[in-house]
Amino acid sequence: MKISQLFDVTGRRTLITGAASGIGRGIAEAMAANGARLTLIDQDGEALAAVAELLRQDGATVRTTVADVTDSVALRTAIDAMIAAEGGIDVVFANAGVSAGPGFLTGDGQRNPSASLENLSFDTFERAVAVNLGGTLRTIQLVTPALKRNPGGRIIVTTTVALHKTETMVSTLYVISKAAQGQLVRQAALELAAHNIQVNGIAPGPVITNIGGGRLQDPAARAPFERFIPMHRLATPQDLQGAALFLASPASSYVTGIQITVDGGGSLGTAD
Ligand SMILES: NC(=O)c1ccc[n+]([C@@H]2O[C@H](COP(=O)([O-])OP(=O)(O)OC[C@H]3O[C@@H](n4cnc5c(N)ncnc54)[C@H](O)[C@@H]3O)[C@@H](O)[C@H]2O)c1
């Protein structure tokens, strides 16, 4: 089969949460550039409108809804509106997520008392779990009836390499919220396989986005990550577009329940 058919997402009715920034925005750009029809959801209405406008200027078909993925009513309304307007859903990127702050070590290997186990905040824990795990579960729940009516659908969750490894410079609260999200991908994939719905994850290492107040945009904050990552650079959202297109397209027709790690070799260990 030709690459143009293998990776064809033309006309695929695609829902993306957390699409106004970072990885979600990069996925939206890749899907739009390849002819998908987009419905973008984000809690940040201003940023969402700006991203949608740029995509439309490039000729994309884009709908937007401002919604918080922790708000069941708002998310259901947004997804029902997409189904009514588009007649169904083909591809879902459950991508919205939040940081829970820095880890228990600083970039220079010192202890960071404010992020030590005994000082972790339950308010931060509850928000991380509500968005990263609850928001993903809610998104999957709400799209599943439509995907069952339209076999061949894809659910793609933005997880993290911290599913497979521990972290020192990323909050324990984030790691545990995303670890549960990783198991949700596997459970959903297992249950939905008989309905011809494929569920997979994209597991990035550190990516330069606006997460955590955009701290990785600061070269000083990036430096310790760049030291340990074998490719000695952090990802940009563009580095994740290939995995997104693969999981959304016929190229991954027999793939379900996996995580595609995109981390410059970071989960292999440190080389030099
Ligand atoms: N940046 C990284 O280093 C990194 C690494 C691994 C995984 N991830 C994951 O990637 C995903 C995207 O993060 P990003 O780095 O692009 O961050 P980002 O902050 O640049 O973008 C996240 C977007 O999600 C939206 N959002 C956040 N909470 C929301 C909510 N409750 N409801 C609706 N929208 C919400 C934000 O408004 C923002 O537009 C997250 O799931 C994150 O856990 C990020």
Side-chain angles (χ1 to χ4, degrees):
M1 198 188 276
K2 291 202 177 285
I3 282 179
S4 55
Q5 292 169 287
L6 209 49
F7 286 86
D8 187 13
V9 293
T10 312
R12 299 283 274 169
R13 297 161 296 183
T14 301
L15 175 73
I16 307 172
T17 68
S21 173
I23 296 167
R25 178 180 178 168
I27 291 169
E29 289 168 356
M31 293 296 288
N34 288 284
R37 299 174 60 85
L38 302 185
T39 296
L40 309 181
I41 293 178
D42 204 287
Q43 64 183 1
D44 183 341
E46 205 175 312
L48 186 62
V51 166
E53 186 48 35
L54 286 172
L55 292 169
R56 287 190 193 107
Q57 282 170 16
D58 288 339
T61 303
V62 186
R63 304 173 63 262
T64 60
T65 307
V66 180
D68 184 324
V69 296
T70 68
D71 180 338
S72 297
V73 174
L75 195 61
R76 181 184 293 277
T77 303
I79 290 170
D80 286 351
M82 174 184 181
I83 295 165
E86 298 285 327
I89 307 179
D90 300 306
V91 180
V92 177
F93 287 94
N95 167 79
V98 288
S99 160
F104 67 88
L105 291 185
T106 62
D108 56 4
Q110 303 298 307
R111 291 275 162 171
N112 180 13
S114 66
S116 66
L117 205 50
E118 61 273 35
N119 287 328
L120 295 177
S121 142
F122 264 80
D123 285 347
T124 310
F125 167 75
E126 280 162 14
R127 186 66 188 164
V129 170
V131 179
N132 297 342
L133 180 58
T136 304
L137 175 59
R138 187 173 286 106
T139 303
I140 292 174
Q141 279 188 322
L142 290 171
V143 298
T144 292
L147 293 180
K148 282 184 175 173
R149 290 193 295 272
N150 176 35
R154 307 294 177 89
I155 299 173
I156 300 146
V157 180
T158 311
T159 58
T160 164
V161 283
L163 295 178
H164 308 297
K165 67 186 196 61
T166 50
E167 296 284 346
T168 56
M169 293 185 285
V170 175
S171 172
T172 295
L173 299 177
Y174 178 80
V175 173
I176 61 179
S177 72
K178 300 292 278 190
Q181 187 197 39
Q183 277 295 69
L184 172 57
V185 169
R186 288 159 53 83
Q187 284 292 131
L190 182 64
E191 182 175 337
L192 298 178
H195 295 276
N196 198 5
I197 301 169
Q198 293 160 251
V199 187
N200 292 293
I202 299 173
V207 187
I208 303 168
T209 68
N210 290 313
I211 203 166
R215 78 171 168 136
L216 293 178
Q217 290 169 22
D218 173 6
R222 279 207 297 275
F225 292 97
E226 287 166 349
R227 269 198 304 279
F228 81 72
I229 290 173
M231 287 181 73
H232 296 307
R233 72 171 177 87
L234 271 63
T236 66
Q238 287 67 38
D239 287 311
L240 301 163
Q241 290 175 331
L245 284 172
F246 172 69
L247 291 175
S249 68
S252 59
S253 58
Y254 199 55
V255 175
T256 197
I258 67 150
Q259 298 286 335
I260 298 187
T261 298
V262 185
D263 71 343
S267 44
L268 299 173
T270 300
D272 45 19

